[in-house]
Amino acid sequence: MGLFTELKDSVSRVTDRLFSEQEPKRIGIYGPPNAGKTTLANRIARDWTGDAVGTESHVPHETRRARRKENVEIERDGSTVTIDIVDTPGVTTKVDYEEFTDEMDEDDAIRRSREATEGVAEAMHWLREDVDGVIYVLDSAEDPITQVNTMLIGIIESRDLPVLIFANKIDLDDASVKRIEDAFPQHKTVPLSAKEGDNMDEVYDNIADYFG
């Protein structure tokens, strides 16, 4: 009888552990073009998996398809938070091929603008259907009050998704974190430089807190 009870308890513990484990939460990295979304995604992925997510570039719309890095385990305060990172294309109201003509010939610029437009549509689909939380990346050297930012933050709020605003590029001379905090006071703003790796401990603390 004792053996049976021990076996039953052992099976129960294993079953409880299996069913208590949650699927990794899908965290979408959103924001306007050239805010540093892929740089941040790569920083997080490299810090915790050793791998990159995508190609970084100063040319707008380098990311034209959503890219996902699964099972990123972030360890904070003795516990582990597992997330899937979704690096999404920069969202804008208009993609003009002339934005790219300084970097490539006209045919390539037209193709890039078409792909970027499709990427915006894909990013919006992910936001409406397939993410469990959002990291919203803004360039702290730029004015955050734009039509795109207001629209996207509104969609995130309408879905009641947990969101962190990351004020990126604090290494730039004209960066202003306060400008972003004042624009969206209802949300937590975390300053960082994804390129330089500045303030990443606070970044990971907040990711664990909001999405764990």
Side-chain angles (χ1 to χ4, degrees), residues 26-45 52-57 61-70 72 83-91 119-120 122-124 126-127 130-131 133-135 137:
R26 295 180 299 273
I27 307 304
I29 299 180
Y30 278 82
N34 273 18
K37 297 179 297 299
T38 300
T39 304
L40 174 63
N42 284 342
R43 171 71 62 178
I44 296 171
V53 175
T55 303
E56 302 167 24
S57 172
H61 300 287
E62 180 64 31
T63 301
R64 300 184 295 283
R65 286 289 180 271
R67 291 175 289 210
R68 182 170 170 176
K69 182 66 176 177
E70 299 182 337
V72 178
I83 61 174
D84 292 349
I85 297 172
V86 183
D87 179 28
T88 67
V91 176
V120 170
E122 182 185 19
M124 296 306 295
W126 273 90
L127 182 58
D130 292 322
V131 296
V134 173
I135 291 171
V137 182

Side-chain angles (χ1 to χ4, degrees), residues 37-196:
K37 297 179 297 299
T38 300
T39 304
L40 174 63
N42 284 342
R43 171 71 62 178
I44 296 171
R46 286 190 179 115
D47 281 353
W48 299 103
T49 73
D51 299 324
V53 175
T55 303
E56 302 167 24
S57 172
H58 68 281
V59 182
H61 300 287
E62 180 64 31
T63 301
R64 300 184 295 283
R65 286 289 180 271
R67 291 175 289 210
R68 182 170 170 176
K69 182 66 176 177
E70 299 182 337
N71 296 315
V72 178
E73 296 184 351
I74 297 175
E75 297 180 2
R76 307 310 288 171
D77 297 327
S79 62
T80 301
V81 175
T82 305
I83 61 174
D84 292 349
I85 297 172
V86 183
D87 179 28
T88 67
V91 176
T92 185
T93 54
K94 180 183 178 181
V95 182
D96 190 335
Y97 80 91
E98 292 183 351
E99 292 181 60
F100 314 117
T101 52
D102 288 342
E103 303 289 341
M104 59 194 72
D105 63 38
E106 184 171 318
D107 287 343
D108 287 341
I110 291 172
R111 180 169 58 254
R112 190 183 185 97
S113 66
R114 186 183 305 116
E115 291 172 351
T117 301
E118 294 170 354
V120 170
E122 182 185 19
M124 296 306 295
H125 170 79
W126 273 90
L127 182 58
R128 291 191 171 99
E129 305 290 339
D130 292 322
V131 296
D132 302 307
V134 173
I135 291 171
Y136 200 82
V137 182
L138 291 170
D139 182 341
S140 58
E142 299 289 339
D143 185 355
I145 303 177
T146 66
Q147 181 181 358
V148 167
N149 292 335
T150 302
M151 175 191 70
L152 286 176
I153 293 295
I155 293 172
I156 293 165
E157 290 174 344
S158 71
R159 286 207 57 213
D160 199 26
L161 292 170
V163 57
L164 281 170
I165 295 180
F166 283 1
N168 193 25
K169 304 188 183 182
I170 59 171
D171 54 297
L172 300 181
D173 291 339
D174 49 352
S176 174
V177 176
K178 186 177 186 303
R179 183 166 49 193
I180 294 175
E181 291 173 334
D182 290 345
F184 304 106
Q186 71 274 34
H187 299 295
K188 171 80 172 183
T189 296
V190 181
L192 75 150
S193 170
K195 178 182 178 181
E196 302 297 333

Side-chain angles (χ1 to χ4, degrees), residues 193-211:
S193 170
K195 178 182 178 181
E196 302 297 333
D198 295 341
N199 206 39
M200 292 307 295
D201 280 339
E202 185 178 350
V203 165
Y204 295 136
D205 286 344
N206 278 277
I207 288 175
D209 185 42
Y210 271 68
F211 307 126

